[in-house]
């Protein structure tokens, strides 16, 4: 379904797509995955291009994933949030989404759905710009998210030293950090740079290089299919 929430950050009413587990019951509580789109996308990019409903229903049928609420927001936190014109000019709005997500969207979701509390029940993952956002916001707020996924993360990804300034803090938080990127993707350096840093520091981090693929939904569907199985365990 499409939901609308009031954003104090942006000063508008903003849209997000929500996919509930098919057996969602109002007397149960669920963890939430915030699933973020790319630079040319919006709140329906995942639904149209990634078939998250089909992926999740298959995982649920095989009992390979925990029931979860998936929230697919619009990560371009500005008044006109449509993906029109020169989408690269909207990079600042992707950074600004940090505040919309934490201060507006998460409180809306947690007050309108049956949501389990705390960081152990919150994951953030995304594709490309959304992958960069997930790494930036997830690692920047390890008290809010226990699971962080970056799929083909874009140049908005912060430098590793900024993402994980303290190995001690990271290890204490036990944040689950998982990435995938197509081996032929020109943006691989954003993922491999963080992976190399983690390896050097002895920090647990996964980067899967999807063989032969570039910057596309083959990789992102694989990302969701695999990431969704590993979270909320
Ligand atoms: C860039 C190349 C790619 C960039 C962003 C992207 C902000 C994002 C791609 C995507 O989200 O698909 O130089 O700069």
């Amino acid at each position: 379904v499409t939901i609308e929430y009031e954003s104090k950050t942006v000063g508008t009413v903003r849209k997000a797509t929500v996919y509930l587990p098919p057996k969602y019951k109002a007397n149960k509580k669920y963890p939430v995955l915030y699933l973020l789109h790319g630079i040319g996308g919006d709140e329906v990019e995942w639904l149209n291009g990634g078939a998250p409903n089909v992926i999740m229903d298959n995982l649920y049928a095989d009992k390979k994933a925990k029931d979860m609420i998936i929230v697919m927001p619009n990560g371009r936190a500005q008044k006109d949030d449509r993906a029109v014109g020169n989408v690269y000019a909207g990079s600042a709005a992707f950074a600004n989404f940090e505040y919309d997500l934490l201060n507006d969207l998460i409180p809306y979701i947690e007050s309108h759905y049956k949501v389990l509390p705390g960081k152990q029940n919150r994951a953030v993952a995304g594709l490309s710009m959304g992958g960069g956002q997930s790494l930036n916001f997830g690692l920047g707020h390890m008290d809010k998210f226990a699971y962080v996924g970056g799929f083909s993360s874009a140049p908005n990804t912060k430098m590793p030293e900024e993402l994980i300034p303290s190995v001690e803090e990271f290890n204490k938080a036990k944040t689950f950090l998982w990435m995938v990127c197509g081996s032929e993707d020109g943006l691989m350096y954003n993922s491999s740079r963080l992976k190399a840093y983690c390896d050097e520091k002895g920090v647990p981090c996964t980067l899967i290089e999807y063989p032969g693929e570039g910057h596309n939904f083959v990789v992102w569907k694989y990302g969701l299919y695999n990431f969704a199985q590993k979270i909320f365990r």
Side-chain angles (χ1 to χ4, degrees):
V1 296
T2 302
I3 57 120
E4 297 196 333
Y5 64 101
E6 211 180 302
S7 168
K8 291 201 175 71
T9 303
V10 182
T12 53
V13 172
R14 312 197 69 228
K15 288 187 168 70
T17 305
V18 175
Y19 186 62
L20 297 176
K23 290 180 180 157
Y24 182 85
K25 289 190 186 70
N27 63 355
K28 278 184 75 178
K29 288 187 174 182
Y30 299 87
V32 183
L33 165 61
Y34 293 87
L35 187 61
L36 313 182
H37 63 78
I39 200 162
D42 56 22
E43 69 279 358
V44 296
E45 183 181 27
W46 265 104
L47 199 61
N48 291 341
N53 48 333
V54 176
I55 290 175
M56 295 309 297
D57 287 359
N58 277 289
L59 289 175
Y60 294 141
D62 292 346
K63 300 202 179 344
K64 285 183 174 173
K66 295 272 188 185
D67 280 354
M68 66 184 81
I69 298 171
I70 299 190
V71 178
M72 293 161 272
N74 182 309
R76 194 179 295 97
Q78 60 188 14
K79 285 199 164 60
D80 177 1
D81 62 11
R82 294 304 97 191
V84 292
N86 174 15
V87 289
Y88 291 89
S91 288
F94 278 86
N96 190 39
F97 182 64
E98 178 171 0
Y99 308 103
D100 181 77
L101 173 64
L102 290 171
N103 302 330
D104 300 306
L105 180 57
I106 291 178
Y108 176 92
I109 293 297
E110 299 194 352
S111 61
H112 287 75
Y113 290 92
K114 297 290 180 178
V115 173
L116 287 167
K119 71 168 204 164
Q120 290 305 333
N121 296 300
R122 238 180 259 126
V124 63
L127 69 90
S128 201
M129 285 298 272
Q133 287 177 312
S134 298
L135 298 173
N136 295 347
F137 309 161
L139 296 173
H141 299 278
M142 292 188 294
D143 56 326
K144 297 284 196 301
F145 302 98
Y147 305 92
V148 177
F151 311 160
S152 316
S153 300
N156 62 329
T157 306
K158 290 180 182 172
M159 296 304 281
E161 300 75 14
E162 281 180 89
L163 291 172
I164 307 179
S166 163
V167 169
E168 197 186 337
E169 289 294 314
F170 180 88
N171 286 337
K172 211 192 295 170
K174 295 192 165 63
T175 303
F176 176 77
L177 175 56
W178 192 92
M179 299 184 285
V180 63
C181 191
S183 66
E184 308 308 309
D185 189 333
L187 300 183
M188 172 64 90
Y189 67 93
N190 297 293
S191 305
S192 55
R193 182 177 64 202
L194 179 57
K195 173 62 177 160
Y197 177 86
C198 288
D199 287 352
E200 184 197 315
K201 301 283 181 187
V203 164
C205 162
T206 298
L207 169 60
I208 293 174
E209 289 194 26
Y210 195 109
E213 288 294 337
H215 199 67
N216 64 49
F217 261 110
V218 173
V219 176
W220 306 329
K221 285 176 169 175
Y222 173 92
L224 176 61
Y225 181 79
N226 286 278
F227 185 74
Q229 295 182 50
K230 297 179 194 317
I231 58 178
F232 309 132
R233 299 278 177 196

